[in-house]
Amino acid sequence: MTSHSKKRSTKAGLPPGTLVHIGAKKGVAPRITLLNYDPEGVRESEVTPADLAEKIKHAPGVKWVNLQGLGDTHMIEQIGACFDLHPLVLEDIFNTEQRSKVEDYGNYLYVVLKTFGYETRGTEERIYSEQISLVLGKDFVLSFLEANGVQFQSVRDRLRSGKGQSTKLGADFLMYSLIDAVVDTYFSILERLDEKTEALETELVNRPQPRTLQSIQRLKREGVFLRRALWPLREVISSLQRGDSPLFSRNTLLYLRDVYDHTIHIIESIESLRDVTAGMLDIYLSSVSFRISTVMKVLTVITTIFMPLTLITGIYGMNFTYMPGLEWHMGFFVVLGTMTVISIAMLLLFRWKKWL
C-alpha cells in the first residue's frame, strides 16, 4: 500500500455506509458517461451528477452508466440515489482492496472484479491491480472504475457499431460482456508471465546469476498475488452461471458458462506457474551447487598434482651439507623432468578415472 492510500483503520468507529476511500488512489479525474441502446440505435453522452437523474429518466432501452475515477464522493452518492443502491454497496465501491465477490440485493446484483496490468518503476517492472465494481439491474448496468477502463473499449465499440446481438439483448448480456472483457485481460497477463518464465528458464540453463534468484522470487510473488486475487473469481462466476438470480436470462447463462471455463483455465495456469517457479528455485540451487562442486573439483585436482611436486622441492630445499645430486650438473633438469612426468601421469590418471 502506498503513502497515498488510506488504511482500513481509517474507518474505525465510523457508522456502516460511510464513504471513505480505502486503497491506493489512482489520481484519475472522475467522469460519468451514459450509454443507452435499443434496437433503434445507440446513444452516448457525458453527464454531470446534477443532470444524471433527468437523463436516466428519458433514456430508452438498456442504460449503461460508467464512472471512471473514485475521487468524488458526491458523484457516487448521486448515482446511488438514482438507482436506489444500498449504502453498503456504495461503501464497498470505495473500498478498492476487496476480494472478488457477488452480492444479491433482490432488485440488483453487485459484483466486484479485479483487473491487472504492469507498470515500470525505475528499472523494475511490477504488477498492479485495479478494482471494478459492477451493478446489474433489470434494465441498467453500472460500472465503477478506478482508472480509465480501457478493457471495456471493445464492448463499447461493438455497441457503437451495432455488430452482433449486443444491442438486441438486455442488460444481463451487457453485464456478461463486461465480465468477459475483464476475464479476457487476464490472458495477456498470463502471456507476459509465460515470457518471463521462459526467459528465466533460459538464464537458469545458461548461467544463473544472483539476480536470477531475485527474478524468480519476484515471479513467485506475482503468482501468489494473482492466485489470491483470482481464486474468489471462480466462485463469483460459478454463482452467476448457476442462474440463482432472475436478472440473468437462460440465453445469457450459456455465455457465462463459457466465462467460467475461461476462469478455470486461468486459475489452472496460475497453479502451474506456482509449480514452475518452485521447480526453478530447485534448479537454481542445484546449478549453484554444481558450479561450486566443479570449482572444488578443479582446485582439488590442482592441489593433488602439486602435492608430490611440493614434496620434491621441499626435500631439496633442506639445508643439509651433503645431498645426492647436488653437485651433479644435470641434477636440476632431471628434477624438473621428474616433476613434469609426475604431473602428466597424474593428469592422465585423472582423465582415465573421468575425474576431469
Side-chain angles (χ1 to χ4, degrees), residues 260-317:
Y260 181 75
D261 292 339
H262 291 170
T263 304
I264 296 298
H265 172 70
I266 292 168
I267 292 176
E268 289 177 348
S269 299
I270 297 298
E271 292 294 327
S272 175
L273 175 66
R274 183 173 64 169
D275 296 337
V276 169
T277 51
M280 285 195 294
L281 282 174
D282 294 338
I283 294 174
Y284 175 82
L285 296 175
S286 300
S287 177
V288 171
S289 299
F290 176 76
R291 288 174 59 192
I292 293 175
S293 63
T294 301
V295 172
M296 293 302 297
K297 181 174 67 173
V298 173
L299 294 177
T300 302
V301 168
I302 294 174
T303 302
T304 306
I305 292 174
F306 273 88
M307 284 176 64
L309 309 185
T310 304
L311 175 62
I312 295 174
T313 55
I315 291 174
Y316 280 90

Side-chain angles (χ1 to χ4, degrees), residues 301 304-306 308 341-351:
V301 168
T304 306
I305 292 174
F306 273 88
V341 170
I342 291 173
S343 301
I344 294 175
M346 294 184 72
L347 284 172
L348 292 176
L349 176 64
F350 294 152
R351 178 75 68 178

